[in-house]
Structure formats: C-alpha cells, structure tokens
Amino acid sequence: MYEPIIELNHVSFKVADKLILNDVNFSVDKGEFVTITGPSGSGKSTLLKIIASMLSQTAGTIQYKGKKIEEYDPIDYRKEVSYGFQTAVLFGKTVKDNLVFPYEIRQKLFDQDKAIGYLEKVGLDETYLTKNINDLSGGEKQRIALIRNVLILPEVLLLDEVTSALDEENKKIIGHFIEEMNQTEQVTVLWVTHNPSEVAESDRVISIINGGVKEKNGLENQ
Amino acid sequence: MDLRINNTSLIFAMGLVLVALAIVYREKLDLGKDIIIGVIRAVIQLVIVGYVLGYVFKLDNNIITFTMVLVIIFNASYNAGKRSQGLPNAFKISFIAILTATSLTLVILLLSGSLVFKPSQIVPITGMIASNSMIAIGISYRNLNGKFADQRQQVLEKLALGADLKQASISIVRDSIKAGMSPTIDSAKTVGLVSLPGMMSGLMFAGVDPTHAIKYQIMVTFMLLSTTSIASVIASYMAYKNFYNEQKQLIG
Ligand SMILES: Nc1ncnc2c1ncn2[C@@H]1O[C@H](COP(=O)(O)OP(=O)(O)OP(=O)(O)O)[C@@H](O)[C@H]1O
Ligand SMILES: [Mg+2]
C-alpha cells in the first residue's frame, strides 16, 4: 500500500563533463519526513532542483506518483512539489506581494487571515505584510519565503537549508512548523540541512557525498 | 526654393569630419577607423538610395512601392535582430513586430487622409516608422536580457512556486515594453522646444510654411507613438518565451 510518492532511479547530472550527481537511487513514501545531508558541494541543492523540475537530470528517471515527472506539465507539477531555495529571494515590493503570489497564479482570492496566522507561527506578525522586502533581515526573508511555499499546501515540500540564516531558537520554531505540516497535513517533506541537531531529530537521513548516496538509514525501498 | 548645396560645398563640409577625427586622435579614443568607415558607408549608401528613390518616385508603380516598403522592413528587422544579443528567433520576432507596427500605422495614416499613396510619401514615412520600431525593439530586447539576468533568482522563485512562464515574466515584459516606448514619449514632450525634427525641418527647408510643416510633425509624433508601442508590445511578448526551455525552465 505504501506507494512511493517520489522515486529516483539511476539519476545523474552532468555539466560540461563534470559529474555532479552520480547514479542516485532512493524513494520517498507519501507523508515521510526525510533529511538530506552531506558536505558542501556534494550535490544536495542540485538534487532538490532536479526533483523540483527546475533542472533536468542528464540520465535516469524520477517518478512522481508512479509517473515520470516529464509527463506532467511542469507548471502543474511545481504547484504540487514546491521547492524552497537555499538562498531565498523575495520579489515585488512588499511582503504581501510575495504572499499573494501563490493565490494570484491560481486565480484564487488571497486568504489574509491564513497568511497572518502563518506569519505568527514563524515568529513574525501582521505588521510585516506591508513591510518593504528590502527592510527585512536574512532570517525574516527566509521565513517569509517558506510561508510562500506552504500557504497553499503542496503534496511535497522540498526545502533547501531554509533555516541556515536563523538563530537556534528560530531554527526550532521553523523546524516545528515544518513538522506540523508533515504530521497534521500529511505533506511529504524532503529537506536539506547541515545542522547536527536537525539531522539527529529526523527519522530518516540520506547522505549525499560526492554526488552519490553514501548511506541511508530507516526504511527505504531501492 | 534656395536649395543650392552641391558637390563642392560638400567637400568643404567634410572639414567637419576632420574636426571629429582630430578630437579622436588627440584624445586617443581609438575610433578613427570607425569614423572613416562610417563616413564612407554613409556616403555610398546615401548616393545609392538617392538614385534608387529618384527612380522609384518617377516610376510611381504600386508594386515597386510595396517592394520598397518590404525591403525597409526587412532591413530594420535584420538590424533589430542583430541588436538582440543572441536572442533566438530575434529576426523573425522583429520582422513580425515591425511589419505589424508599420502596416497598422500606415493604414491609419492613409485612411485618415494624412498621407496619400504615392512613393514620395509612403517610402520616407515607412523609413521613419521602421527605424523607430527598430530602435524601440532594440531597447526592449536589451531590457529583457538585462532584467532576466538581474532578476534571475526572482524568476526562478516564481517558477518554483508554480507560476507559468507568463506569470513568472510579466513584470519584466511590462518593464521592457515601457523601456521601448519611453524615448518616443520623452521626445514627444520636448519636440519643437529642443529639437526641430527631421520631418519639419525638411519641409521648412523646402520652403513650406512652418504652420503647415508642424501639421506633418504632429502626425509624425502620433504615428511614432503608435508604432513604437505596437512594436515593443509584440516583440516583448514574443521574445520572453525564448528565455525558457521545453521543460519550462529558465535557460542559462
Ligand atoms: N550549473 C552548474 N554548472 C557547473 N557546476 C555546477 C552547477 N551547479 C552546481 N554545480 C557544482 O555542482 C556541485 C554541487 O553543487 P550543489 O549546489 O548541488 O552543492 P550542495 O551540496 O548543495 O552544497 P552546499 O551545501 O554548499 O549548498 C558544486 O561543485 C557546484 O559547484
Ligand atoms: Mg546547497
């Protein structure tokens, strides 16, 4: 019954003869919370970008809900498999411009109460809505970018070191926020982190070293 | 009429080029070769154009006039395409944009009675329209290239959130249209105050009363506004898709 929601088979990525990902195989079940870790430059961000269809692998296949991701319209797919960049950048003028965007692209009405609720959950508040994006700290930007990813809940959340600019306390708050998405909303989470305590807390860790999966623990089906 | 420029007076006027060359050599600007090539090309191109136009005006044949119009549009598109800094399909896009802008504007000018369909009016007006479209498109392309580079991460964020290509690019597209149109709008604001534009100057040179000459200049102002807006809109909307690949990923 545990159909994997995402399944990678022999995924490689090569740029100008440089092999950045080399034969990566793993699968993630629906509702799982998986941590990806590994040294800097090992290919974690590249891997997430490929799963997010922001880049295309040069060999191998990625299946989402049993179908190759190339068979989906990339725009529909990205609405379901949402990627948060390692170096999040906000667009437009205000925080609100960013939070309205997920609704705008779906021709939906902005749910301001929900947005305020999420701002509060990540330690910010209503006054942030009208703030200019250039007046925010790095950690505030990261948190707003994260809310942008989850305001309209995706099936899969791919998060690339989204707590890197936060202090320990805020790291915890965001960690719980993401866990909550996973536990109460059954959002499948794949997140990249270097933080030892975040790694220690996860049920399953995939280490990427030198472009390949080097160790796995927990349940997985190859 | 008192139009008595002749070859001898032109040869003396060439002294003006020497002024430019003297400055360039004194300041070591390394532009001497470009100036000489520019001058030689201008002279040769204009002599040829003068004879060709003289012939076309005398012939007054609709097919030949149409062909001239197409040649002008083709050349303008080719040059706009060259200014695109490697944008794919730039010639095709420029051609569609300039052809549409020019045809629509010409038709309106003809229907309104501002112009009559004879080569001595159609050909120079087409030249003005097409070259202004070319410049507008060139600016739009430059703006697209610049903004897609500067705002690359913002575009990526929008795509990652599930925006379609238009939603991810629209702010850049609008900005590029604006950039293409703005020189025309700016010059409309100062026309007559700073510069006496070519159309009006030419007519006044030929002895036309300034109060009549300005009517043509007013028409030119209107037509350039329409032309540059049509050309920039078409070119920007057609060009932005080229920044993405089949998988709807941002290229580069
Ligand atoms: N488009 C590209 N062209 C060339 N090399 C690239 C490209 N993208 C990534 N790389 C290289 O691939 C390797 C992996 O990069 P990636 O960003 O995936 O690493 P990472 O594991 O996320 O590192 P970090 O922990 O520092 O974020 C690096 O050596 C990087 O320089
Ligand atoms: Mg990374």
Side-chain angles (χ1 to χ4, degrees):
Chain A
M1 279 299 99
Y2 284 97
E3 274 287 297
I5 190 163
I6 284 178
E7 191 175 354
L8 279 75
N9 282 305
H10 306 296
V11 171
S12 297
F13 184 72
K14 205 168 157 180
V15 187
D17 278 348
K18 191 184 167 213
L19 204 52
I20 293 170
L21 290 174
N22 183 16
D23 195 29
V24 174
N25 299 279
F26 66 82
S27 65
V28 178
D29 287 341
K30 184 165 168 50
E32 251 196 305
F33 195 119
V34 177
T35 297
I36 296 177
T37 192
S40 180
S42 60
K44 304 178 297 295
S45 296
T46 307
L47 178 66
L48 245 55
K49 283 179 194 162
I50 289 174
I51 301 174
S53 95
M54 299 300 291
L55 279 178
S56 294
Q57 71 276 20
T58 45
T61 59
I62 298 156
Q63 306 225 337
Y64 172 66
K65 292 184 173 171
K67 248 169 55 174
K68 288 187 185 158
I69 64 171
E70 290 80 7
E71 291 172 27
Y72 295 88
D73 176 50
I75 309 302
D76 298 334
Y77 176 78
R78 290 174 197 146
K79 287 196 176 93
E80 291 189 23
V81 181
S82 190
Y83 174 56
F85 282 88
Q86 181 167 1
T87 45
V89 164
L90 303 182
F91 43 72
K93 285 203 180 76
T94 62
V95 169
K96 192 173 170 182
D97 290 341
N98 285 269
L99 301 186
V100 168
F101 194 76
Y103 294 92
E104 219 170 65
I105 59 175
R106 292 169 174 85
Q107 272 100 38
K108 280 190 181 169
L109 267 171
F110 178 47
D111 187 343
Q112 178 143 324
D113 294 337
K114 188 172 182 190
I116 294 171
Y118 278 8
L119 280 170
E120 286 166 353
K121 274 193 183 180
V122 301
L124 306 172
D125 61 48
E126 187 175 350
T127 61
Y128 277 82
L129 278 181
T130 51
K131 283 203 178 167
N132 187 304
I133 56 167
N134 299 315
D135 298 338
L136 302 174
S137 74
E140 287 168 339
K141 283 182 191 157
Q142 266 191 337
R143 284 178 274 173
I144 285 154
L146 175 64
I147 297 178
R148 213 170 49 181
N149 283 103
V150 296
L151 261 179
I152 296 178
L153 273 181
E155 293 268 336
V156 180
L157 200 46
L158 307 168
L159 299 174
D160 200 348
E161 302 196 40
V162 293
T163 58
S164 60
L166 301 176
D167 54 28
E168 281 307 317
E169 195 195 324
N170 277 304
K171 271 192 172 66
K172 276 220 180 78
I173 295 175
I174 299 307
H176 286 300
F177 179 66
I178 297 166
E179 252 171 51
E180 200 184 307
M181 298 282 152
N182 173 249
Q183 269 156 23
T184 63
E185 316 280 355
Q186 279 77 50
V187 178
T188 308
V189 179
L190 239 96
W191 80 334
V192 173
T193 179
H194 278 303
N195 187 295
S197 63
E198 286 172 350
V199 174
E201 276 175 33
S202 15
D203 353 309
R204 181 163 155 221
V205 179
I206 296 178
S207 292
I208 305 288
I209 294 168
N210 250 328
V213 176
K214 282 295 179 273
E215 75 191 50
K216 298 182 250 179
N217 46 48
L219 13 107
E220 86 268 346
N221 30 3
Q222 272 251 47
Chain B
M1 271 198 266
D2 205 6
L3 303 172
R4 52 178 175 181
I5 197 166
N6 58 36
N7 291 344
T8 326
S9 44
L10 275 182
I11 285 170
F12 283 117
M14 229 166 104
L16 297 171
V17 177
L18 296 180
V19 172
L21 282 176
I23 293 173
V24 159
Y25 282 113
R26 222 187 104 87
E27 302 294 332
K28 304 192 172 57
L29 298 181
D30 199 20
L31 283 172
K33 210 173 122 197
D34 288 320
I35 292 184
I36 292 169
I37 291 174
V39 167
I40 293 173
R41 278 193 61 161
V43 172
I44 295 175
Q45 282 161 208
L46 289 173
V47 167
I48 295 173
V49 166
Y51 279 101
V52 170
L53 287 182
Y55 181 70
V56 170
F57 290 179
K58 215 161 45 210
L59 222 57
D60 196 2
N61 172 310
N62 287 351
I63 293 172
I64 305 244
T65 308
F66 265 125
T67 312
M68 278 299 286
V69 167
L70 274 180
V71 169
I72 292 171
I73 294 174
F74 185 90
N75 283 336
S77 313
Y78 176 75
N79 277 295
K82 271 208 316 206
R83 290 173 198 197
S84 75
Q85 304 163 324
L87 205 78
N89 300 323
F91 172 75
K92 197 179 95 191
I93 294 170
S94 310
F95 188 75
I96 294 172
I98 298 179
L99 182 70
T100 314
T102 310
S103 320
L104 271 173
T105 308
L106 276 181
V107 165
I108 292 171
L109 290 177
L110 286 167
L111 288 180
S112 69
S114 310
L115 281 188
V116 288
F117 196 91
K118 62 178 193 182
S120 60
Q121 295 200 2
I122 295 295
V123 173
I125 290 290
T126 304
M128 285 171 79
I129 301 176
S131 72
N132 278 278
S133 310
M134 174 183 88
I135 291 166
I137 294 176
I139 296 171
S140 294
Y141 286 154
R142 180 144 31 91
N143 197 73
L144 280 173
N145 279 318
K147 286 277 155 43
F148 267 108
D150 292 349
Q151 299 182 10
R152 182 175 172 78
Q153 188 58 32
Q154 280 94 327
V155 175
L156 288 172
E157 303 268 359
K158 290 179 180 174
L159 286 178
L161 290 168
D164 63 29
L165 302 190
K166 190 173 166 194
Q167 290 162 337
S169 326
I170 191 72
S171 59
I172 294 178
V173 169
R174 295 217 171 108
D175 198 71
S176 304
I177 296 170
K178 210 168 137 187
M181 289 175 67
S182 60
T184 310
I185 297 173
D186 284 345
S187 72
K189 286 186 199 153
T190 54
V191 69
L193 299 178
V194 179
S195 66
L196 293 181
M199 182 74 175
M200 191 173 149
S201 311
L203 290 171
M204 290 183 340
F205 248 72
V208 173
D209 186 75
T211 55
H212 194 59
I214 56 143
K215 290 189 182 143
Y216 275 97
Q217 196 55 51
I218 291 171
M219 173 196 88
V220 167
T221 304
F222 293 167
M223 94 190 177
L224 293 185
L225 280 173
S226 115
T227 307
T228 51
S229 54
I230 298 169
S232 310
V233 165
I234 295 177
S236 302
Y237 270 102
M238 285 183 78
Y240 82 83
K241 298 193 186 92
N242 288 308
F243 288 86
Y244 301 92
N245 67 16
E246 287 270 284
Q247 280 300 307
K248 303 187 181 171
Q249 295 157 345
L250 192 57
I251 296 172

